[in-house]
């Protein structure tokens, strides 16, 4: 269950201080887990800001200026008949305790490889990102640790590490650099360069409150991420999840960097199916290309270009190309022949040629989009020349 002020949420909160997709509630075997969805203002239990927290019945959490009380239905508490697969226990004896699975929050203050994890930066569908310190060089790094259930076998862990190591040689100014990867106990992790900035989902969240982002700034984002996708293409890598949360904008120089490129390679196959399980796809779905919403469909780099186009659209308008309260309706809109409203309906100052680039990226059929990142960059450079825009 997704909570927030956006129309695509399962529970829409009429609170301007909540994010569009603020937090996620998930029930599993009677356990209710609250996860912050990289919200701008944070999710709080009591006075503590949390990334992930197991809620107790009656416990209150806060998003924006809204307090919400956790109350589970009576069914779970009042059940008197054991399920058929329940283990045999003597009458009156307490049930066996569930196996204890370590949480990602428990890693704070501990080490993964040569890195000490200092604090949680953010949480997402696949794991949690920590600010960490290299104990040898004292350098600040970001550590992404996957949730334990994403790699619950030795074979999957080895596959993750092998795939991540193929990314180590890739160095590009618009790609977050992978420094090291490994596995410790139930956790697979990757050490990356630390980028002091914010992701584009946070930027989009502020649109409408602080005003629209100038289209020239969006043009620069498109150039930066276009170059990152060009480097990915040269290394025969498809990202598969180009969304606002996977693009960071550095505070010092406003340079945009593409993240989780190595993760796309590392979680192909069985792990990828788990990442897109129900309840965790909702945040990414508005940025998926039509072909990505179909099971077993073949995707290529043109699907990544659609994701970039959808991100650019949201930066220009404050909303993704399609929104709906219903998951099925949202998928139907994405697959339909009906294009989204042109961005100029929301921001009149957008250059016509730049709008044309965005709308071509959002073409329903892959063959109607740009054939490659290089072809898109060529068009963007022409837009820049017409409007006296420069980029390093």
């Amino acid at each position: 269950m997704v909570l927030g002020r956006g129309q695509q949420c399962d529970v829409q909160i009429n609170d301007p201080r909540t994010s569009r997709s603020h937090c996620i509630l998930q029930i599993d075997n009677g356990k209710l887990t609250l996860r912050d969805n990289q919200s701008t203002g944070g999710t709080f239990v009591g006075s503590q800001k949390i990334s992930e927290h197991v809620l107790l019945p009656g416990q209150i959490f806060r998003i924006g200026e809204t307090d919400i009380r956790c109350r589970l239905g009576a069914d779970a508490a009042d059940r008197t008949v054991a399920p058929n697969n329940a283990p045999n226990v003597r009458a009156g004896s307490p049930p066996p305790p569930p196996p204890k699975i370590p949480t990602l929050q428990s890693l704070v203050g501990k080490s993964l490889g040569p890195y000490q994890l200092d604090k949680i930066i953010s949480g997402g569908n696949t794991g949690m990102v920590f600010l960490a310190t290299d104990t040898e060089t004292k350098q600040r790094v970001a550590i992404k640790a996957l949730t334990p259930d994403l790699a619950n076998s030795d074979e999957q862990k080895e596959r993750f590490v092998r795939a991540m190591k193929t990314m180590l040689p890739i160095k590009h100014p618009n790609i977050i650099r992978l420094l090291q990867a490994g596995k410790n106990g139930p956790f697979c992790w990757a050490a990356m360069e630390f980028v002091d900035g914010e992701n584009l989902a946070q930027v989009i969240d502020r649109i409408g409150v602080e005003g629209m982002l100038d289209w020239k700034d969006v043009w620069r984002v498109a150039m930066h991420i276009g170059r990152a996708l060009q480097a990915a293409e040269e290394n025969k890598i498809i990202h598969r999840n180009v969304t606002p949360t996977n693009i960071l904008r550095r505070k010092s120089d406003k340079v945009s960097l593409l993240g989780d490129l190595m993760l796309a390679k590392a979680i192909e196959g069985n792990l990828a199916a788990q990442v897109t399980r129900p309840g965790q796809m909702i945040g990414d779905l508005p940025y998926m290309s039509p072909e990505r919403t179909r099971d077993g469909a073949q995707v290529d780099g043109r699907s990544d270009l659609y994701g970039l186009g959808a991100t650019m659209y949201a930066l220009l308008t404050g909303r993704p190309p399609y929104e709906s309260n219903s998951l099925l309706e949202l998928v139907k809109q994405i697959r339909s022949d009906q294009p989204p409203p042109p961005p100029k309906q929301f921001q009149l100052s957008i250059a016509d040629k730049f709008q044309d680039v965005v709308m071509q990226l959002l073409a329903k059929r892959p063959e109607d989009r740009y054939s490659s990142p290089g072809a898109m960059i060529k068009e963007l450079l022409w837009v820049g020349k017409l409007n006296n825009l420069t980029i390093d």
Side-chain angles (χ1 to χ4, degrees):
M1 181 187 298
V2 182
L3 288 77
R5 62 180 172 85
Q7 292 184 357
Q8 78 274 20
C9 293
D10 300 302
V11 178
Q12 192 171 0
I13 308 293
N14 185 19
D15 180 345
R17 294 192 177 275
T18 61
S19 296
R20 288 181 179 274
S21 176
H22 197 106
C23 63
I24 297 171
L25 284 169
Q26 183 174 352
I27 298 178
D28 187 12
N29 292 326
K31 183 177 76 172
L32 184 60
T33 302
L34 172 68
R35 293 188 178 89
D36 184 73
N37 198 28
Q38 296 183 321
S39 64
T40 301
T43 301
F44 293 83
V45 177
S47 60
Q48 183 181 4
K49 186 177 182 179
I50 62 98
S51 293
E52 182 176 318
H53 182 86
V54 177
L55 289 168
L56 301 174
Q59 199 164 25
I60 295 173
F61 64 94
R62 170 174 284 237
I63 61 175
E65 294 183 345
T66 303
D67 289 337
I68 301 172
R69 184 186 300 275
C70 164
R71 180 180 174 184
L72 292 176
D75 290 348
D78 297 343
R79 182 180 293 149
T80 57
V81 180
N84 292 334
N85 59 354
N88 293 323
V89 293
R90 289 183 302 175
S93 64
K100 189 172 182 181
I101 300 175
T103 63
L104 289 170
Q105 292 93 324
S106 67
L107 292 174
V108 175
K110 297 179 181 177
S111 294
L112 291 176
Y115 306 102
Q116 179 176 310
L117 278 55
D118 301 322
K119 67 176 184 179
I120 297 169
I121 298 176
S122 64
N125 293 350
T126 55
M128 200 166 279
V129 180
F130 300 83
L131 179 63
T133 304
D134 187 324
T135 54
E136 297 170 1
T137 65
K138 306 305 178 185
Q139 177 186 4
R140 285 200 305 175
V141 301
I143 300 287
K144 179 152 192 173
L146 297 187
T147 54
D149 59 328
L150 278 180
N152 53 20
S153 73
D154 289 340
E155 181 183 353
Q156 287 176 334
K157 290 175 188 174
E158 291 296 338
R159 188 172 185 271
F160 170 85
V161 174
R162 283 198 307 271
M164 299 289 271
K165 285 181 177 178
T166 65
M167 305 301 300
L168 287 172
I170 297 178
K171 298 177 184 178
H172 190 276
N174 298 113
I175 294 176
I176 297 175
R177 187 182 170 196
L178 177 66
L179 304 173
Q180 194 174 343
K183 51 187 175 61
N184 288 68
F187 299 106
C188 288
W189 55 270
M192 303 163 286
E193 66 170 308
F194 173 69
V195 179
D196 186 11
E198 59 183 349
N199 66 46
L200 294 188
Q202 295 168 306
V203 176
I204 294 166
D205 222 30
R206 292 200 305 272
I207 294 174
V209 177
E210 297 182 0
M212 294 293 184
L213 191 66
D214 191 298
W215 76 266
K216 296 171 185 176
D217 291 326
V218 183
W219 176 84
R220 292 185 180 90
V221 171
M223 284 294 300
H224 291 154
I225 303 307
R227 289 173 173 177
L229 291 176
Q230 190 173 36
E233 181 187 61
E234 290 167 358
N235 286 276
K236 296 180 174 56
I237 295 170
I238 304 167
H239 191 293
R240 290 184 173 84
N241 198 28
V242 177
T243 65
T245 55
N246 283 332
I247 299 173
L248 291 182
R249 198 172 184 220
R250 194 159 50 212
K251 187 187 302 180
S252 60
D253 54 11
K254 304 300 182 186
V255 168
S256 296
L257 295 91
L258 181 62
D260 274 0
L261 182 63
M262 66 285 180
L263 195 61
K265 186 73 175 176
I267 63 174
E268 288 175 349
N270 293 336
L271 291 182
Q274 294 181 54
V275 170
T276 57
R277 58 186 180 269
Q280 294 198 333
M281 191 174 69
I282 186 69
D284 297 337
L285 183 56
Y287 301 93
M288 284 186 184
S289 62
E291 63 269 23
R292 278 196 63 213
T293 67
R294 295 182 169 89
D295 287 338
Q298 293 294 319
V299 300
D300 56 26
R302 293 171 296 183
S303 184
D304 287 344
L305 289 177
Y306 181 99
L308 175 56
T311 299
M312 292 161 62
Y313 187 97
L315 287 169
L316 292 167
T317 66
R319 45 166 282 182
Y322 301 101
E323 289 184 307
S324 175
N325 292 321
S326 163
L327 199 65
L328 285 175
E329 178 60 28
L330 182 56
V331 171
K332 185 178 177 181
Q333 288 181 26
I334 293 171
R335 293 178 181 175
S336 74
D337 294 332
Q338 185 68 31
K344 288 193 76 166
Q345 288 191 16
F346 301 86
Q347 188 179 161
L348 289 173
S349 63
I350 300 170
D352 289 339
K353 293 289 186 184
F354 185 59
Q355 176 174 266
D356 292 344
V357 172
V358 176
M359 296 305 286
Q360 184 168 343
L361 289 169
L362 293 174
K364 301 291 184 172
R365 301 192 312 162
E367 55 267 34
D368 292 333
R369 299 172 206 148
Y370 293 100
S371 59
S372 67
M376 179 198 66
I377 290 170
K378 184 178 179 180
E379 198 76 10
L380 287 171
L381 287 171
W382 176 244
V383 172
K385 185 175 182 180
L386 291 175
N387 293 275
N388 298 316
L389 302 178
T390 59
I391 193 165
D392 294 334

